[in-house]
Amino acid sequence: MTIGKALSLLFAIAATVIIALAALLFISPKEDDQDLFKVYCNKKFSGLYWHLEKNTPWLPASVMDYFPENPGVTVDTANLRLNIDLGSQNIIMADDVVTDFVKTHAGAVYIPLLQIGDTVYIPLNTVHQFLRLSYSFSGNSIYLASEYKASGKDAPPDFYAPKKDKWEQGSSRINLAWQYVNKATPEAPPKYDGLDIMSPTWFHLITDGDGSVENNGDKGYTDLCHERGYKVWATITNSMTVKGSTKFTTEVFNSPELLNKSVAQFLFYSCLYDTDGINIDYEDVEDDDAAGLVNFTRTLRELTERQGLSLSIDTLIPKPWTIEYDRKNLAKYVDYIAVMTYDEHWSTSPKPGSISSLPWVEQAIQDTLSEGVPASQILLGVPLYTRVWLINERGKIASNKAAGMAFVRDLLESEGLEPEYLPHEQQNYVEYEDEGNTAKIWIEDAVSIQNRVGLAEKYSLAGTACWQFSQAVDDIWFLFSVQHEQWVENL
């Protein structure tokens, strides 16, 4: 067995044990039982206590004082970051090409920290390699041991991310759900039949920066998703909702230095949090930057393939105003293209209507196929939200707030409303009076979901991609499952 394989096996075993034990300890220490959550350093009680937050063990940052310092790794209490100079670290990626690229271009990265009261905590499952620590559990106590050795053949790496066995899709369609993350990652979901891949929106290009990336990753989330049977594809963005992002995206595409740094950081963070793939969500890109987006994707693909990660990209539907997506060439460098077949009527639409009527969706599928994207690479975008359109007495739109499935379901029940089926849109619709306004909702529910799944089947698409997880109701996922298909066939 090679050293690399031995290290890989060691880390895999340690991760499995830690995940299993942490799952049993999914509670936080209280004042009356905090003695159960002791931190031992080199077999001696440190006087410190750890905290468990959503499957991640957090330790007081002061625990670092008990072990040899790693130059290039510093705590920034003001910004709650553990800053790491990757160029000074002994890192080992899938091969020399990936390792050299990351060490050369990534520069300074960081891991977010947590503050509770006056105490700053570090996420042990994410930072332990850089702190040159091994750890184990005994009951509710954590035992830390130093793995520090002077530089040489026997010195462990500061970060090790071996090549993964890249996931390959079987004969069944797949279903991905994006999970929106605003700084803190939500709980990892239980396993649902019909849901295969979670794609948290974790990493964002920092606008007007030096190519660096904002990091909102959560290793505990990945671990739980893996334990429950999900793949995790980290979504990366160009921060399209931030003012100036379009202009800065152009700047990055035209600067090898900025582009390489962003790619290196996106890749590093994805490996740091043990993801299985990367999902590119670059929007509001200039039309003239179509080739730049292809080049960015190609550069990332060369590295994700070596690392064993899946790569996908999100595109708008083919229209004259979405030529920034060169779909035919993008398809050469990704495993999947997720077509965002929603927002047919959007927040500033001049007239109310469906988020995503089925004829509009079907046309988008046909147009994407005609641009040279194979059906086997297409993930059909599925909205799990709608809009409540309020029309005033003058016939003008007063508001059109987005609403998830649960809101609409509860509204129908509480108000005793009976929706009607619209054969053209192929979805349910309801209209009612609301304080002098007329409310109109083109409903996303089991009916519209089944019709969308039917389109994916009709065109033999790779699967579906849902925006976004928190807007769904639990029982909707079964409609995407193989079991549901078999049930329908047996009716």
Side-chain angles (χ1 to χ4, degrees):
M1 179 180 292
T2 64
I3 293 176
K5 289 183 178 179
L7 283 170
S8 179
L9 178 61
L10 178 62
F11 287 135
I13 293 172
T16 301
V17 173
I18 290 164
I19 291 169
L21 288 169
L24 295 173
L25 301 172
F26 206 80
I27 53 176
S28 299
K30 301 175 182 178
E31 289 184 4
D32 58 352
D33 65 0
Q34 68 172 359
D35 282 354
L36 299 177
F37 294 81
K38 293 179 178 180
V39 178
Y40 288 82
C41 298
N42 294 323
K43 300 182 180 180
K44 295 182 179 180
F45 176 48
S46 63
L48 302 175
Y49 300 89
W50 65 283
H51 172 79
L52 188 66
E53 181 77 20
K54 290 185 290 190
N55 203 43
T56 290
W58 293 83
L59 272 64
S62 57
V63 77
M64 296 170 61
D65 297 336
Y66 289 80
F67 299 98
E69 180 182 2
N70 178 354
V73 178
T74 57
V75 174
D76 179 356
T77 55
N79 296 298
L80 291 179
R81 293 180 173 185
L82 187 76
N83 293 322
I84 303 168
D85 176 14
L86 282 184
S88 67
Q89 301 298 292
N90 175 24
I91 67 173
I92 301 176
M93 308 290 283
D95 59 27
D96 290 343
V97 172
V98 182
T99 299
D100 291 344
F101 187 91
V102 172
K103 281 185 65 69
T104 301
H105 299 292
V109 295
Y110 71 93
I111 296 171
L113 305 182
L114 174 70
Q115 184 165 355
I116 303 175
D118 295 329
T119 304
V120 174
Y121 290 81
I122 58 175
L124 181 59
N125 56 359
T126 313
V127 308
H128 70 97
Q129 289 192 63
F130 287 107
L131 300 185
R132 301 161 177 171
L133 299 176
S134 62
Y135 66 104
S136 61
F137 292 88
S138 179
N140 288 351
S141 295
I142 288 180
Y143 286 78
L144 305 176
S146 175
E147 291 189 338
Y148 175 78
K149 294 181 181 179
S151 298
K153 292 183 179 181
D154 296 330
D158 296 314
F159 178 71
Y160 179 54
K163 181 177 181 178
K164 285 178 173 278
D165 292 328
K166 186 179 175 182
W167 174 80
E168 293 185 7
Q169 182 177 356
S171 58
S172 300
R173 284 190 304 276
I174 58 173
N175 184 33
L176 171 151
W178 286 285
Q179 189 153 35
Y180 177 71
V181 175
N182 183 12
K183 303 300 182 184
T185 304
E187 297 277 0
K191 186 66 178 79
Y192 294 105
D193 288 335
L195 184 55
D196 309 293
I197 301 161
M198 298 304 301
S199 189
T201 58
W202 271 348
F203 311 126
H204 313 284
L205 181 66
I206 298 174
T207 300
D208 293 332
D210 61 355
S212 293
V213 169
E214 177 187 337
N215 171 22
N216 295 304
D218 186 326
K219 180 66 163 51
Y221 175 92
T222 306
D223 291 341
L224 270 181
C225 281
H226 286 165
E227 181 183 320
R228 292 169 180 174
Y230 292 112
K231 296 296 181 182
V232 177
W233 294 358
T235 292
I236 67 174
T237 83
N238 62 333
S239 298
M240 53 275 191
T241 60
V242 177
K243 183 178 180 180
S245 64
T246 300
K247 180 181 177 182
F248 186 64
T249 300
T250 299
E251 185 178 343
V252 172
F253 285 166
N254 287 280
S255 167
E257 180 181 356
L258 294 177
L259 187 142
N260 287 339
K261 185 167 188 174
S262 66
V263 167
Q265 291 207 2
F266 281 135
L267 181 68
F268 167 75
Y269 284 132
S270 297
C271 293
L272 177 67
Y273 294 100
D274 194 28
T275 69
D276 308 289
I278 294 175
N279 171 250
I280 304 169
D281 189 15
Y282 269 41
E283 300 182 39
D284 290 335
V285 175
E286 292 283 6
D287 292 351
D288 292 341
D289 284 331
L293 182 57
V294 170
N295 180 53
F296 168 80
T297 304
R298 178 175 57 243
T299 303
L300 189 54
R301 173 68 166 199
E302 292 171 353
L303 300 164
T304 56
E305 276 298 284
R306 290 178 174 274
Q307 195 66 38
L309 304 181
S310 300
L311 186 64
S312 60
I313 190 168
D314 311 331
T315 70
L316 298 174
I317 67 171
K319 290 291 181 182
W321 55 87
T322 64
I323 60 173
E324 68 269 28
Y325 298 107
D326 181 351
R327 297 168 185 83
K328 181 177 181 179
N329 281 313
L330 286 171
K332 297 176 183 177
Y333 304 111
V334 296
D335 299 297
Y336 300 97
I337 289 182
V339 185
M340 295 183 282
T341 40
Y342 34 79
D343 278 351
E344 177 185 2
H345 295 85
W346 63 102
S347 60
T348 57
S349 289
K351 62 179 182 179
S354 172
I355 288 292
S356 178
S357 65
L358 270 291
W360 182 81
V361 172
E362 185 164 19
Q363 186 63 56
I365 295 172
Q366 294 171 353
D367 292 344
T368 302
L369 291 168
S370 69
E371 289 202 1
V373 181
S376 60
Q377 287 184 257
I378 296 177
L379 298 178
L380 178 65
V382 175
L384 303 178
Y385 67 98
T386 186
R387 290 191 178 276
V388 180
W389 301 85
L390 291 183
I391 312 302
N392 63 27
E393 58 185 10
R394 299 188 303 277
K396 302 294 184 181
I397 298 173
S399 65
N400 60 2
K401 292 182 179 179
M405 288 183 163
F407 174 87
V408 177
R409 178 197 60 194
D410 294 346
L411 174 71
L412 296 178
E413 292 180 359
S414 64
E415 299 297 324
L417 300 172
E418 191 69 33
E420 63 172 309
Y421 182 73
L422 302 180
H424 175 72
E425 287 83 356
Q426 298 178 48
Q427 62 187 137
N428 285 324
Y429 169 83
V430 71
E431 184 174 312
Y432 59 96
E433 294 304 309
D434 183 356
E435 297 183 353
N437 296 312
T438 299
K440 300 181 177 185
I441 307 176
W442 284 260
I443 302 171
E444 292 297 335
D445 57 11
V447 172
S448 63
I449 294 297
Q450 288 187 92
N451 287 337
R452 298 181 195 286
V453 172
L455 283 177
E457 180 179 5
K458 176 180 178 180
Y459 288 93
S460 299
L461 304 184
T464 45
C466 301
W467 180 265
Q468 54 96 6
F469 177 81
S470 69
Q471 296 166 324
V473 290
D474 291 347
D475 55 6
I476 210 71
W477 302 114
F478 181 64
L479 302 178
F480 296 91
S481 69
V482 173
Q483 290 86 345
H484 179 261
E485 293 175 14
Q486 295 170 344
W487 177 77
V488 171
E489 290 174 358
N490 293 329
L491 286 179

